[in-house]
Amino acid sequence: RLREEKTYLSTEPVTRDRVRLEVRLNVAAVNDRELSGAAHTDGCGLFRTEFLYLSGDRLPGEEEQFQAYQKVLAAFGSKPVVLRTMDIGGDKQLPALKLPKESNPFLGIRGLRLSLDRMDLFRIQIRAALRASVHGNLKIMMPMVGALDEVRAAKTVFKEEGAALDAAGIPWDHGTELGIMVEVPSIALIADLIADEVDFVSVGTNDLTQYLCAADRMNPAVRPYYQEYHPAVFRVLSYLARTFQTAGKSVSVCGELGGDPLAIPVLAGLGIHKLSMGRSSVPAAKRVIRNLNMADAKALAQEVQGMKTAEDIRARLTAFAERAT
Ligand code: PEP
Ligand code: MG
């Protein structure tokens, strides 16, 4: 592992046949350890802002958020930073906010649903993010989107807060891109209808798998039913990749699958060239990419589309990985 890190961490993620993929970093806190991967990656593909809310017993104010966002943007320089608006609810409970107890929290008020429910909190975050946008290459992404009206409601908030900043003479980047996470099946399956309403999408395979398989990602008892290589996951990914490519919009993967050495060849073969992952996954991901031929990746992606079980797919991906290294 140490040797892998030494050999690959700072290499370019280029395939054998010279296709340049992008390896981006998932960031879950603002500290040196989390940001140390910035120099070796093509940006931050997922900046989880929840940590600001989850620690401590009070909610973060606009200034505190602005400072944190600015720090991450500074660490990445001109590289893109995809800031995800608060993804609270589900497994992420908030000590500072008394959220009503739900019997199915993963099917309840979480992610963008909570933001739209608590506009006061959402507006503070949007203002902080838009103000930070002049300090780097910021993109904003919303989690747990299930339908287009949610996206439109959120866009209205962005518009209003942007206008308020303009009125106050506070600078922000008017070209800031707005995207969504694709992690709820209902939004995945209307990819063609949403493509012209968002600037980009990133697939949250952790939740997407949970919802496709109807298996709680936190419950060890249903672990066998939570199948990261379920054929349905790869079918949805294939559909998303095709649809967004046709629309000329960017698709990335920022769930665990994006940093999974077994899955990366398939993602690349589907045409998903932006992968975002935790710092510890970067060296192995780059090793896989540098040993990959796109023709092989495409054939593998095609082959997987016809495979019947997660076990079959795992076996095939394992064999592919062993042959490639
Ligand atoms: C995901 O669901 O895949 C994801 C990246 O978001 P989180 O794991 O934070 O829910
Ligand atoms: Mg998620």
Side-chain angles (χ1 to χ4, degrees):
R1 250 203 109 90
L2 259 173
R3 243 192 83 204
E4 180 176 74
E5 163 125 1
K6 249 192 149 143
T7 314
Y8 291 105
L9 178 64
S10 54
T11 56
E12 294 270 298
V14 185
T15 63
R16 283 188 186 282
D17 45 346
R18 313 299 308 162
V19 178
R20 177 67 162 83
L21 304 193
E22 275 186 39
V23 168
R24 295 179 171 186
L25 198 65
N26 289 355
V27 171
V30 181
N31 58 47
D32 291 349
R33 197 175 50 79
E34 283 280 317
L35 297 176
S36 69
H40 310 293
T41 48
D42 301 300
C44 170
L46 173 62
F47 175 24
R48 294 182 154 107
T49 61
E50 299 82 62
F51 75 94
L52 286 165
Y53 300 83
L54 297 174
S55 58
D57 45 14
R58 46 170 208 95
L59 295 164
E62 182 181 324
E63 199 54 35
E64 181 183 346
Q65 294 189 46
F66 170 71
Q67 300 286 347
Y69 303 161
Q70 212 184 0
K71 236 181 233 160
V72 175
L73 285 164
F76 284 92
S78 60
K79 297 171 183 174
V81 171
V82 180
L83 178 153
R84 178 173 75 180
T85 59
M86 55 179 185
D87 190 16
I88 292 158
D91 58 322
K92 298 151 189 148
Q93 284 304 317
L94 207 56
L97 203 66
K98 286 270 164 291
L99 296 173
K101 243 194 148 26
E102 297 173 298
S103 52
N104 285 307
F106 275 121
L107 303 180
I109 300 295
R110 62 172 300 220
L112 184 60
R113 294 174 182 179
L114 179 68
S115 293
L116 295 176
D117 228 43
R118 291 297 309 262
M119 282 291 190
D120 51 335
L121 303 184
F122 194 38
R123 286 182 187 278
I124 291 172
Q125 182 167 39
I126 298 315
R127 274 202 299 276
L130 291 181
R131 281 175 54 202
S133 65
V134 290
H135 296 283
N137 182 359
L138 180 76
K139 300 171 194 296
I140 300 174
M141 173 164 83
M142 292 160 292
M144 187 68 186
V145 175
L148 205 43
D149 32 4
E150 298 156 30
V151 179
R152 290 177 177 161
K155 278 167 107 173
T156 303
V157 176
F158 277 91
K159 234 176 149 168
E160 289 169 359
E161 292 306 324
L165 290 177
D166 285 340
I170 298 169
W172 63 284
D173 179 357
H174 287 65
T176 304
E177 289 188 0
L178 287 187
I180 62 169
M181 293 196 68
V182 173
E183 48 186 355
V184 177
S186 61
I187 205 75
L189 294 173
I190 59 166
D192 59 324
L193 304 177
I194 64 169
D196 61 348
E197 305 229 9
V198 296
D199 294 318
F200 64 92
V201 298
S202 188
V203 188
T205 51
N206 309 338
D207 277 312
L208 183 62
T209 304
Q210 152 169 275
Y211 294 126
L212 283 173
C213 297
D216 182 341
R217 61 192 263 200
M218 309 297 286
N219 179 356
V222 294
R223 183 66 187 85
Y225 300 98
Y226 180 100
Q227 301 186 335
E228 49 272 80
Y229 302 136
H230 194 294
V233 172
F234 290 104
R235 291 220 166 159
V236 171
L237 284 167
S238 168
Y239 168 66
L240 289 170
R242 263 184 289 125
T243 306
F244 285 106
Q245 277 150 23
T246 305
K249 294 283 166 81
S250 161
V251 193
S252 63
V253 169
C254 64
E256 287 297 315
L257 211 66
D260 176 353
L262 291 186
I264 287 171
V266 180
L267 300 177
L270 290 173
I272 299 173
H273 292 182
K274 294 185 175 81
L275 307 169
S276 196
M277 61 199 71
R279 162 74 174 71
S280 60
S281 301
V282 171
K286 289 190 174 180
R287 171 177 53 73
V288 169
I289 292 166
R290 291 179 67 87
N291 283 307
L292 196 63
N293 260 308
M294 282 308 264
D296 296 343
K298 280 180 192 157
L300 180 71
Q302 184 70 38
E303 197 185 331
V304 162
Q305 291 298 314
M307 300 187 79
K308 293 179 179 172
T309 69
E311 255 338 286
D312 292 348
I313 293 176
R314 180 187 298 278
R316 180 67 191 96
L317 299 187
T318 304
F320 184 90
E322 277 161 7
R323 204 208 51 188
T325 45

